[in-house]
Amino acid sequence: LDEDVTQLGAALAALSGKPRLPLLVTLAWQVRERDCRLANQLISEAQSLLAHGGSAMPAGADGTMVFAACKARLDLTQGVLLTLQSDLDGAAQLIEQALTQFEQAGDLTGLGDAKYCLASVWQDRGKPKQRDEFLQLAIADFIAAQDSTRADFCRARLLHYAAFRDVIGTKAQLASQFDPARHWPTLVNAWLESARAVVAIFSGDPASAIKHFLKAWAAARATGQIRQAIIAASNASDSFATLGDLNAALEWDEQALELARSNGLPSMMGSALIQTGNIL
């Protein structure tokens, strides 16, 4: 959450020299979509520390982050940043490099994160079959790592995509896998509410879709999932347009466009411009 990232930043500011390494790596990962420029600055400093004796560093703040994990996480973060800049070949190379390092270190959470990020590369390449395969592999790693939140996060994303192909089946899966009476983590809601919204769209209920997309937008913003926030805002705009409220539709498309521009995401800017043009 944003407040956790703020605390990480304050903790980092209180440190100097080599003890900064674990927090540099963690913070770079957390701001990779929130602030790409800051993420690159943090990566640069962390790489410098690694090159000058980082292997002698003690374990990180959580007692588990060591040299190899730092290197793998930095490669993974850089891969995500390249994905955001639409350099998909460069992104895949770095993410696969991180995947190998996580595998050698036996880091199941890192493995799942890397496969999740590769799923995003395949999504941007227009290859849904490979995307879904990597999301399933990520779920298996997260289950093995006993990280239920990450596993649910991936399941929700899978259902978001599945809703476009099979609304009835997805609706049943949402009910069985995600109890609507349960409070789900904000991280998960960024995709869960989006999946529910897509089901509502194809069920002929744009008003409910708007409600769910706006919840997805808020959850994505609060957890630094900027691409998902942009998509949720654009989809909410489409639903407002379906109801004939073009003023609200334009407002949400402009919010999506502003967010894409402020984070310098070229493919998302293009998408948001097209959506805004459609409403105009």
Side-chain angles (χ1 to χ4, degrees):
L1 296 171
D2 285 340
E3 52 264 36
D4 302 319
V5 176
T6 299
Q7 290 176 8
L8 279 172
L12 179 65
L15 299 173
S16 61
K18 292 179 180 178
R20 287 169 59 85
L21 179 59
L23 278 181
L24 283 168
V25 175
T26 300
L27 189 58
W29 173 250
Q30 292 298 335
V31 301
R32 64 194 184 277
E33 290 191 35
R34 287 178 166 99
D35 189 336
C36 298
R37 184 176 299 177
L38 174 59
N40 276 313
Q41 291 173 353
L42 295 168
I43 289 169
S44 180
E45 183 182 347
Q47 288 175 330
S48 178
L49 288 173
L50 281 173
H52 295 87
S55 58
M57 289 294 301
D62 62 358
T64 62
M65 188 176 286
V66 292
F67 175 83
C70 285
K71 178 67 171 63
R73 184 63 62 173
L74 287 174
D75 285 345
L76 181 58
T77 307
Q78 279 191 299
V80 173
L81 292 171
L82 289 179
T83 305
L84 295 171
Q85 293 302 314
S86 301
D87 179 358
L88 301 182
D89 290 341
Q93 183 177 349
L94 275 171
I95 297 170
E96 287 166 0
Q97 185 173 300
L99 185 66
T100 299
Q101 294 172 63
F102 284 129
E103 194 166 30
Q104 291 171 346
D107 185 336
L108 291 169
T109 299
L111 276 172
D113 284 345
K115 291 170 186 175
Y116 176 89
C117 293
L118 278 174
S120 296
V121 172
W122 285 112
Q123 165 68 8
D124 286 358
R125 283 175 167 165
K127 301 291 185 181
K129 182 175 182 292
Q130 290 89 338
R131 174 202 67 205
D132 291 354
E133 286 174 354
F134 273 98
L135 286 173
Q136 292 285 6
L137 290 169
I139 290 171
D141 286 329
F142 293 143
I143 290 173
Q146 298 183 326
D147 192 328
S148 61
T149 299
R150 272 176 161 89
D152 288 336
F153 174 68
C154 286
R155 288 191 185 100
R157 185 177 175 187
L158 271 171
L159 289 173
H160 163 86
Y161 296 129
F164 288 95
R165 302 188 301 267
D166 177 10
V167 64
I168 295 174
T170 302
K171 187 175 183 179
Q173 285 183 286
L174 279 167
S176 65
Q177 294 183 33
F178 293 96
D179 182 353
R182 176 178 165 184
H183 176 74
W184 295 94
T186 308
L187 180 77
V188 176
N189 276 332
W191 287 98
L192 176 57
E193 291 295 338
S194 190
R196 289 170 173 162
V198 176
V199 167
I201 285 174
F202 289 109
S203 299
D205 188 357
S208 292
I210 290 169
K211 179 184 71 174
H212 290 301
F213 276 133
L214 296 187
K215 287 182 178 179
W217 151 270
R221 288 297 306 272
T223 52
Q225 299 180 73
I226 303 305
R227 279 183 48 150
Q228 175 60 0
I230 293 168
I231 292 167
S234 294
N235 286 335
S237 170
D238 281 346
S239 296
F240 275 118
T242 299
L243 290 175
D245 189 345
L246 297 185
N247 288 330
L250 183 58
E251 176 185 341
W252 279 99
D253 268 337
E254 287 178 335
Q255 288 204 54
L257 181 56
E258 180 183 355
L259 191 55
R261 281 176 167 159
S262 66
N263 285 273
L265 308 181
S267 65
M268 301 311 297
M269 280 190 277
S271 175
L273 283 164
I274 289 172
Q275 297 276 51
T276 305
N278 288 337
I279 298 303
L280 290 170

